[in-house]
Amino acid sequence: MKKHRTAHDGQGSRTCRTGRAAAGAMTIALLTAATSCAAHAGDGTIAAAELKAIGAIEARFQSYNIEMVEVTGGRFWKPYPRTAGAFDQRDRYSARPPIDLTNARLRLLAASLSPAYLRVSGTWANATFFADAPGRPPPGFNAVLSHEQWRGVVDFARATDAEIVTSFAISPGSRDADGRWQPDQAQHLVDATRALGGRIAAAEFMNEPTLAAIGGAPAGYDATAYGRDFRIFHEWMRRTAPETLILGPGSVGDAPSPSGPGITTRDLLAASGSGVDRFSYHHYNTISPRCGGRDDPAQALSEEWLARTDATLRIYQALRDTFEPGKPIWLTETADAACGGGRWDRTFLDTFRYLDQLGRLARAGVQVVMHNTLAASDYGLLDEATFRPRPSYWAALLWRRLMGTIVLDAGRAAPHDLHLYAHCHRAMGGAVSLLAINTSRRASHALTLSDSADRYTLHAARLQGPTVQLNGKTLALTADGRLPRLGARATPAGAIRLAPATITFLVFPNAANPACLARRSGL
């Protein structure tokens, strides 16, 4: 049988020939005679037709944030300088004008990830005043969102097939003389959205109530005050916008992390009682050096690092089961590192976490995952100055085109550094898409395919480089600003090799998987 090779086969073969002794006994045990260097995961065979359905996710599962401060303009996390060196925490913010939501490139790239949810929120939203015209914020607020700026959000959402998700101001200016939250500002925003022909699909009361002390809430704000305010919010929402999903609590920091002390989610839920339609939480693997975190790219492909997604989810699943049993879970804000992202989040290295997190959470039943951000600071999928795609954007685009809403059981790979996730294809009835992530920096792994497949392999010459290749071709926008063709490489049935530190999507168009024939799985 003729052997089809990607542009990375040569590199992987050299790694396999010269690295066997260094790879150790485990790697040697995985080698078989099926190819010149093929390692089998478990029994090594992917029988796409036989993979069983284990769940389903929303069509807008893969979503993103545009921070409120991006819309209004203001001081946000300053991108790291291109040159290495010590970072001065006194210089962690930079002023920026409002994001240009009419930009044709931004709209094209956002629309290519749709359908999606667009969350306009973040810490700055907690103290943002909605006004008919620009101006200085009144007492008790820190920023102004003008009617025209919000019109830009509504128009952008309409143009890109994105549903708006937001949260509301909860700062001292939004309260009565007794400190109780008042819905006047929120009502103004809801009314304006309707008048503009838009709608708010879902809303959290506030952003990250577990960190209320640093998030714009009144001094001394605690779980009791949150419970009182949430009940006011809940009653108002059910009356004025019953079509809008109530998300909550939107917590962060309950997992062991450097988020700092705050109010616990357990206390928040005990004080507020039930009432959300979707249980929401936030997760970052760490915080960036801007906020005192440690930036260590050496751990980026480790199981410990990638499994932090699971550890945080288990905490919030348990809280959901106790206080809001049966409610679907949404992750409404996530990235590698909070406070703008780490130094390497804009490189190919973070693409592994991005896709592995989507795979893990879909398999676990999480319904929506919102990446922070679409185009701001180092964790943006797009460069904030040029709106050019970063490596994780190309990975996001492949997920969007290939991975549908029906989740399949791909089994567990024998080597711990080979991660497998399977879904029905987004558009082709009966077809199956498999995501295979080789997180080993040195060892090749292999799979045996029971049927022919279309192969898409992502690779980079430098893991911490700003570019990525698909099947050996560097991905970039065309000269006229369009997306390039994401071409697959035809791969026959039999053993294939996954080179070190590569990400591969395999599409089985002829699988005729019964779970994928039942209905179209993506749109």
Side-chain angles (χ1 to χ4, degrees):
M1 180 178 295
K2 183 178 179 180
K3 185 179 177 183
H4 286 233
R5 306 171 67 222
T6 70
H8 312 301
D9 283 357
Q11 173 192 341
S13 294
R14 289 193 296 272
T15 300
C16 191
R17 287 194 300 267
T18 63
R20 293 193 183 191
M26 181 186 75
T27 301
I28 294 173
L30 292 172
L31 301 176
T32 74
T35 65
S36 63
C37 180
H40 288 269
D43 65 8
T45 300
I46 298 297
E50 300 173 12
L51 300 183
K52 305 299 183 184
I54 56 173
I57 53 177
E58 284 206 20
R60 298 178 190 272
F61 169 77
Q62 181 192 34
S63 294
Y64 54 84
N65 283 252
I66 294 178
E67 292 264 342
M68 182 68 78
V69 68
E70 294 181 71
V71 177
T72 64
R75 286 166 56 79
F76 192 60
W77 307 114
K78 182 179 181 179
Y80 288 111
R82 296 295 178 181
T83 56
F87 183 76
D88 186 350
Q89 291 192 39
R90 296 170 297 180
D91 192 32
R92 58 183 176 173
Y93 297 110
S94 61
R96 65 193 61 210
I99 187 172
D100 181 8
L101 295 176
T102 67
N103 182 275
R105 177 179 293 168
L106 180 64
R107 289 193 171 196
L108 167 69
L109 297 179
S112 298
L113 299 182
S114 290
Y117 288 108
L118 159 61
R119 180 174 176 267
V120 181
S121 180
T123 300
W124 282 258
N126 285 345
T128 295
F129 181 78
F130 182 60
D132 291 330
R136 295 181 61 84
F141 296 92
N142 296 333
V144 170
L145 170 68
S146 72
H147 187 277
E148 193 61 25
Q149 288 168 337
W150 191 247
R151 179 195 297 274
V153 171
V154 173
D155 289 347
F156 180 86
R158 183 184 299 113
T160 60
D161 188 14
E163 293 276 7
I164 297 171
V165 176
T166 193
S167 64
F168 300 105
I170 51 79
S171 56
S174 68
R175 299 175 179 278
D176 65 14
D178 295 322
R180 291 189 298 264
W181 182 77
Q182 298 296 294
D184 307 37
Q185 268 285 294
Q187 185 71 59
H188 191 189
L189 188 66
V190 168
D191 291 344
T193 305
R194 288 173 175 158
L196 291 167
R199 78 182 192 105
I200 296 174
E204 291 165 319
F205 168 53
M206 65 181 288
N207 182 74
E208 296 179 355
T210 45
L211 301 181
I214 61 173
Y221 198 76
D222 59 13
T224 300
Y226 172 85
R228 174 202 65 206
D229 291 343
F230 181 83
R231 288 190 290 273
I232 296 171
F233 165 75
H234 184 273
E235 190 277 331
W236 165 75
M237 282 286 289
R238 289 296 191 234
R239 183 180 68 252
T240 198
E243 73 282 2
T244 298
L245 295 174
I246 296 177
L247 310 179
S251 299
V252 71
D254 292 88
S257 73
S259 298
I263 308 169
T264 69
T265 298
R266 180 172 294 277
D267 288 345
L268 292 173
L269 295 171
S272 64
S274 62
V276 302
D277 299 305
R278 304 290 187 270
F279 188 99
S280 65
Y281 74 102
H282 296 177
H283 167 74
Y284 293 91
N285 275 15
T286 188
I287 60 174
S288 81
R290 292 182 188 85
C291 295
R294 182 169 177 264
D295 190 13
D296 183 10
Q299 66 180 329
L301 301 185
S302 70
E303 179 59 22
E304 186 279 330
W305 185 256
L306 299 174
R308 291 186 182 190
T309 288
D310 297 331
T312 299
L313 175 60
R314 284 193 294 269
I315 289 170
Y316 289 111
Q317 278 178 324
L319 290 166
R320 185 277 310 267
D321 292 344
T322 299
F323 293 97
E324 296 281 5
K327 298 296 175 62
I329 296 179
W330 287 19
L331 175 51
T332 51
E333 189 176 308
T334 188
D336 176 69
C339 299
R343 290 181 182 273
W344 43 270
D345 290 2
R346 60 194 177 198
T347 74
F348 180 59
L349 187 58
D350 191 47
T351 302
F352 292 81
R353 178 212 54 83
Y354 179 86
L355 286 175
D356 188 73
Q357 184 179 54
L358 292 181
R360 286 175 188 258
L361 294 177
R363 187 174 61 193
V366 173
Q367 290 297 297
V368 175
V369 178
M370 300 181 182
H371 179 77
N372 201 32
T373 60
L374 177 63
S377 200
D378 293 287
Y379 47 24
L381 297 176
L382 308 174
D383 180 271
E384 67 176 39
T386 65
F387 294 144
R388 290 192 178 278
R390 288 173 169 162
S392 289
Y393 177 85
W394 298 113
L397 186 60
L398 281 168
W399 177 285
R400 168 60 183 87
R401 292 186 179 182
L402 304 179
M403 305 292 273
T405 60
I406 299 173
V407 185
L408 305 174
D409 183 4
R412 300 281 182 170
H416 70 279
D417 46 16
L418 178 59
H419 301 193
L420 302 177
Y421 306 102
H423 290 217
C424 294
H425 192 276
R426 181 170 288 271
M428 292 189 290
V432 167
S433 296
L434 179 80
L435 170 60
I437 304 174
N438 184 359
T439 61
S440 173
R441 297 173 186 258
R442 293 178 297 177
S444 292
H445 296 308
L447 296 173
T448 299
L449 311 183
S450 63
D451 198 359
S452 60
D454 296 327
R455 178 171 179 165
Y456 305 80
T457 293
L458 295 173
H459 172 264
R462 292 191 303 118
L463 282 175
Q464 294 185 63
T467 60
V468 61
Q469 293 182 333
L470 174 64
N471 293 338
K473 182 177 180 180
T474 298
L475 290 172
L477 297 176
T478 63
D480 58 355
R482 298 179 182 275
L483 287 168
R485 178 177 174 270
L486 302 184
R489 179 155 295 184
T491 304
I496 66 165
R497 188 179 47 75
L498 307 172
T502 58
I503 298 168
T504 298
F505 290 88
L506 294 163
V507 174
F508 300 86
N510 303 315
N513 185 297
C516 306
L517 286 169
R519 58 185 176 89
R520 292 183 70 192
S521 72
L523 303 178

